Amino acid sequence: MRLITHNMLQCHVKNCNDNNFPLRLEEVEVELVEADFQPEFLQNIIGKLEWPAFVNTAVQLGNTNLPATIPDNAKDNEEFLKVLHTALLETHVQQGKMVCPNCSHVYPIKDGIPNMLLAEHEI
Amino acid sequence: MPSYLVQFAQSHDEFRLPEFESLAVIENVNVKFNRDEYRLDRPFLKVEIESDEEAAKLVKRAILIKSIYELWGEGENLEELHASVRETSDRWPHYMGKSFKFSVTAFGSTIVAKKSLEMINSFSFLGFDGDIDMTNPQFQFSILVDFGSERSKYMKVGTFEAEKMYLGKLVTSGSRDLVNRYNLKKRNYLGTTSMDAELSLIMANQALAGPGKLVYDPFVGTGSFLFTCSHFGAYTLGSDIDGRQIRGKGKSSIKSNIAQYDLGDRVLDTLTFDICHNPWRIDNWLDAIVTDPPYGVRAGAKKLGRKENSKKQVSLRTYEGLPMHERDDYYPPTKPYEMSEVLMDLLEFSARQLRLGGRLVYWLPTIVDEYSNEDVPQHPCMKLISNSEQNFGAWSRRLITMQKVAEAHQGEHATIPVHHHSENDVTANRVEQQVRMREEESTEEAEQNKQQPGHYAFREKYFGVF
């Protein structure tokens, strides 16, 4: 699971509607996998990111290169886009779990595949 | 604008024009043509495009177009064609001293080699003095002969004349070779519902998948659409209620297919969850949704929950001291997911999650005798772009392409018209009842007209009738 995906996921247990994002990463195994740099995609997705959550998650995983706020010229700032690219698209959580900060539901990540299924009393 | 001749493949006829029009949108190419001239049973269509460069852009990723030619002349017979080509003499000097090749392509019949050669030689008035190079020429010219599709069925070759002839200079060929590259026979990991390569590629074009875009498949299965959409440069995400399909077995999985096709840069992730209970925190973020919803012929659709008449308690049982749902091997119970529900959920999900202008591309199975165009599910935010049928006799499936044209608002719902054919149709009555319950839940509207669309009780009829 890449950090872009993590940034789009919230806890969706029934009636868990507040403080259910971002899911806390625990006991994670992280892998960096190089990927082609394509600024066009980053420029398109940047406005959809929940930035503070993204920065915090990256810091938790040991990446402190992201600025606290999105720079004004973000879309033309290649240096920034490259840093974003590495954190967003090249950082993979291979094993671990995501825990809801509100209801503590645990979503396991196994071989890079997050399991977001709910138990029957949670739907 | 100059004239060009499109040579379509004789494959998936109903999908050809929608793909062509999608390509014009993707590449932002200005194309003009007369819709009345387009025939499903013919490979040729005359179009107007600004330049060779624009024509090449338009066709380069086409799956259902073989080639595009700059049109040099046309006529109902060779004399007319000659006369028409002679009017282009201002173009000829450019080709002097350049290597070239001439060929003859016939549709609806065959032309013997001797006749072909005569036809080619009859164009010697062009006076090209460059080398003839059959393997790697600078320019390729084709005499394209259309015999029509009717007479060839019962008349002997050589006993009837062509209906139309063209001379064209080849601009470029489409991407039909990709059908081979993504051929299921060569794919490392497959499921029973993997979509064939040609249709998966066409769907990527219908979705306008391309660089910078984000495409999502909520019923990802073994990932067919992730590969074709990412092939064209899009970033892709998939999810499925059945994680076993994603993980595969041993060394075969979606992951191994990604490696086989070298698409790891752009196939972002696949996740396990039920689209009815999805964890996406965000709206208006997807450029396209491309999917083949499970409709129960090969794999019955499921969603989370327990069947209503199930006796088991919903309480949290424990096993070896752990609540069942916290065990590693826990898999929540599922219940059947009726197709009409799948469709309504898919449209409502798309209306929310697509960006304005984003596309939904999906398959709708229908019973041929009962189908009418009004049966296609609708949503106030979604506009129908195309509807192409792949026929299997008594049933068929339709590739539906829709575009989000308005922001979704609370209280707007997808609608599925329902007509009633027979009061005694037990399965249809049962299914209809289920859907009506749902409609009453989701809208407070008065009684709907009793109608039964062509996909109604599809699974039951598929197994019961044929």
Side-chain angles (χ1 to χ4, degrees):
Chain A
M1 183 193 67
R2 300 181 210 228
L3 292 197
I4 183 175
T5 307
H6 174 262
N7 197 260
M8 301 297 171
L9 295 173
Q10 65 185 12
C11 179
H12 59 127
V13 166
K14 187 167 70 177
N15 298 329
C16 180
N17 302 321
D18 290 314
N19 188 29
N20 58 347
F21 171 86
L23 299 171
R24 198 170 59 240
L25 289 167
E26 287 184 6
E27 298 166 35
V28 291
E29 246 174 63
V30 177
E31 198 179 330
L32 283 178
V33 183
E34 229 174 276
D36 265 356
F37 175 63
Q38 291 196 359
E40 209 180 338
F41 177 69
L42 297 168
Q43 288 154 357
N44 277 349
I45 204 73
I46 208 167
K48 298 291 174 188
L49 296 173
E50 200 55 62
W51 190 259
F54 176 53
V55 175
N56 285 341
T57 307
V59 168
Q60 268 181 45
L61 301 185
N63 180 337
T64 53
N65 298 332
L66 292 165
T69 52
I70 302 173
D72 291 337
N73 63 342
K75 292 186 177 184
D76 308 310
N77 183 341
E78 191 171 308
E79 196 187 338
F80 165 74
L81 289 177
K82 285 201 161 145
V83 170
L84 174 63
H85 171 77
T86 300
L88 196 65
L89 301 173
E90 296 187 322
T91 311
H92 295 247
V93 179
Q94 296 295 16
Q95 315 290 343
K97 50 191 186 182
M98 291 185 278
V99 183
C100 174
N102 181 39
C103 75
S104 302
H105 182 100
V106 175
Y107 299 96
I109 304 164
K110 218 170 127 188
D111 300 325
I113 303 169
N115 181 349
M116 307 302 290
L117 287 173
L118 300 177
E120 60 180 306
H121 62 283
E122 294 170 327
I123 58 175
Chain B
M1 289 201 290
S3 290
Y4 289 83
L5 189 70
V6 174
Q7 185 188 5
F8 288 105
Q10 287 304 108
S11 173
H12 300 301
D13 308 344
E14 280 203 13
F15 298 70
R16 302 188 308 185
L17 211 51
E19 186 196 39
F20 182 68
E21 291 180 316
S22 294
L23 292 170
V25 176
I26 293 168
E27 303 294 346
N28 195 20
V29 171
N30 182 14
V31 191
K32 285 191 184 135
F33 64 95
N34 179 356
R35 206 163 272 277
D36 297 334
E37 284 178 12
Y38 176 74
R39 299 256 319 254
L40 282 176
D41 59 352
R42 299 295 174 87
F44 301 114
L45 177 67
K46 215 170 102 176
V47 302
E48 287 178 24
I49 302 172
E50 294 288 350
S51 64
D52 280 15
E53 288 72 30
E54 290 291 290
K57 246 167 71 182
L58 178 66
V59 167
K60 68 169 191 261
R61 57 181 269 187
I63 303 304
L64 295 175
I65 294 172
K66 282 187 174 162
S67 301
I68 189 162
Y69 300 89
E70 183 189 29
L71 191 61
W72 280 43
E74 57 184 317
E76 289 183 7
N77 52 51
L78 199 56
E79 289 68 43
E80 277 187 32
L81 178 59
H82 283 158
S84 165
V85 172
R86 280 179 202 278
E87 286 169 23
T88 63
S89 55
D90 55 320
R91 294 180 188 172
W92 303 352
H94 179 69
Y95 299 90
M96 296 302 164
K98 312 266 169 66
S99 66
F100 68 100
K101 168 187 167 178
F102 256 77
S103 61
V104 177
T105 303
F107 170 76
S109 185
T110 49
I111 299 174
V112 293
K114 184 164 166 267
K115 188 88 193 293
S116 292
L117 197 60
E118 279 173 27
M119 285 173 77
I120 290 169
N121 286 332
S122 75
F123 284 92
S124 58
F125 64 83
L126 290 168
F128 293 168
D129 56 4
D131 291 337
I132 295 171
D133 182 342
M134 298 307 280
T135 50
N136 196 18
Q138 282 171 282
F139 295 101
Q140 290 189 49
F141 294 86
S142 275
I143 305 160
L144 302 146
V145 187
D146 187 355
F147 286 92
S149 57
E150 292 304 311
R151 293 175 302 174
S152 54
K153 285 178 191 150
Y154 51 89
M155 287 173 76
K156 194 165 168 283
V157 170
T159 62
F160 55 94
E161 296 295 320
E163 289 181 3
K164 189 94 192 199
M165 297 175 124
Y166 309 89
L167 179 72
K169 182 200 75 182
L170 180 70
V171 176
T172 194
S173 293
S175 283
R176 285 193 65 72
D177 52 329
L178 290 179
V179 176
N180 192 34
R181 175 170 160 83
Y182 288 96
N183 190 335
L184 294 185
K185 286 179 187 156
K186 300 183 202 161
R187 190 171 299 174
N188 176 282
Y189 171 60
L190 286 179
T192 51
T193 56
S194 299
M195 179 65 60
D196 88 65
E198 188 172 14
L199 292 167
S200 300
L201 287 158
I202 293 166
M203 288 170 78
N205 279 338
Q206 286 302 91
L208 315 179
K213 300 267 187 88
L214 181 58
V215 181
Y216 173 55
D217 181 353
F219 302 101
V220 72
T222 56
S224 302
F225 308 134
L226 306 186
F227 313 137
T228 54
C229 291
S230 282
H231 172 88
F232 290 120
Y235 285 73
T236 50
L237 279 170
S239 68
D240 205 296
I241 190 171
D242 187 355
R244 292 168 302 180
Q245 289 232 62
I246 296 171
R247 284 190 299 274
K249 258 195 179 144
K251 286 185 177 162
S252 295
S253 61
I254 287 189
K255 210 168 152 186
S256 72
N257 285 346
I258 294 169
Q260 181 187 353
Y261 297 130
D262 193 17
L263 295 172
D265 291 352
R266 292 190 297 275
V267 179
L268 292 173
D269 276 310
T270 45
L271 305 91
T272 311
F273 62 78
D274 175 2
I275 191 65
C276 299
H277 303 278
N278 74 75
W280 301 124
R281 66 158 174 87
I282 180 176
D283 289 349
N284 298 316
W285 64 304
L286 300 168
D287 294 292
I289 293 170
V290 179
T291 195
D292 182 18
Y295 44 81
V297 174
R298 290 288 181 84
K302 298 272 187 226
K303 64 174 180 176
L304 292 184
R306 220 177 253 286
K307 286 176 201 152
E308 275 156 41
N309 55 1
S310 166
K311 293 240 164 63
K312 285 177 209 155
Q313 294 272 314
V314 189
S315 62
L316 301 176
R317 283 174 299 146
T318 55
Y319 183 74
E320 292 173 352
L322 255 187
M324 287 296 275
H325 69 279
E326 286 180 13
R327 290 172 58 83
D328 278 351
D329 56 359
Y330 172 77
Y331 191 77
T334 57
K335 60 184 181 185
Y337 193 9
E338 213 284 319
M339 210 185 101
S340 304
E341 284 185 275
V342 177
L343 292 170
M344 285 167 79
D345 286 346
L346 178 63
L347 257 75
E348 286 172 15
F349 178 85
S350 303
R352 279 196 314 273
Q353 304 276 323
L354 286 173
R355 291 181 200 235
L356 208 56
R359 284 190 170 188
L360 165 65
V361 181
Y362 74 98
W363 289 100
L364 177 70
T366 51
I367 306 290
V368 171
D369 287 347
E370 293 175 5
Y371 173 82
S372 84
N373 275 334
E374 287 110 56
D375 295 347
V376 178
Q378 295 171 34
H379 192 285
C381 302
M382 305 289 292
K383 179 184 158 204
L384 184 69
I385 300 290
S386 67
N387 171 351
S388 309
E389 182 189 26
Q390 186 189 21
N391 189 290
F392 297 102
W395 74 283
S396 63
R397 60 180 177 187
R398 294 175 168 272
L399 186 65
I400 308 292
T401 304
M402 300 182 111
Q403 189 147 16
K404 179 168 170 181
V405 291
E407 293 295 354
H409 297 291
Q410 284 278 321
E412 282 176 341
H413 293 286
T415 49
I416 298 181
V418 188
H419 11 237
H420 216 73
H421 284 264
S422 149
E423 291 294 336
N424 308 323
D425 197 336
V426 179
T427 42
N429 280 336
R430 182 173 57 74
V431 175
E432 187 192 353
Q433 207 183 355
Q434 286 170 6
V435 170
R436 206 123 51 83
M437 267 170 54
R438 186 192 162 92
E439 278 175 359
E440 279 163 17
E441 268 174 33
S442 62
T443 65
E444 296 287 332
E445 281 170 18
E447 279 272 315
Q448 304 260 331
N449 288 335
K450 283 190 167 187
Q451 287 180 328
Q452 181 182 344
H455 52 77
Y456 242 38
F458 178 80
R459 184 165 194 265
E460 287 78 359
K461 287 181 180 173
Y462 180 89
F463 288 114
V465 182
F466 314 143

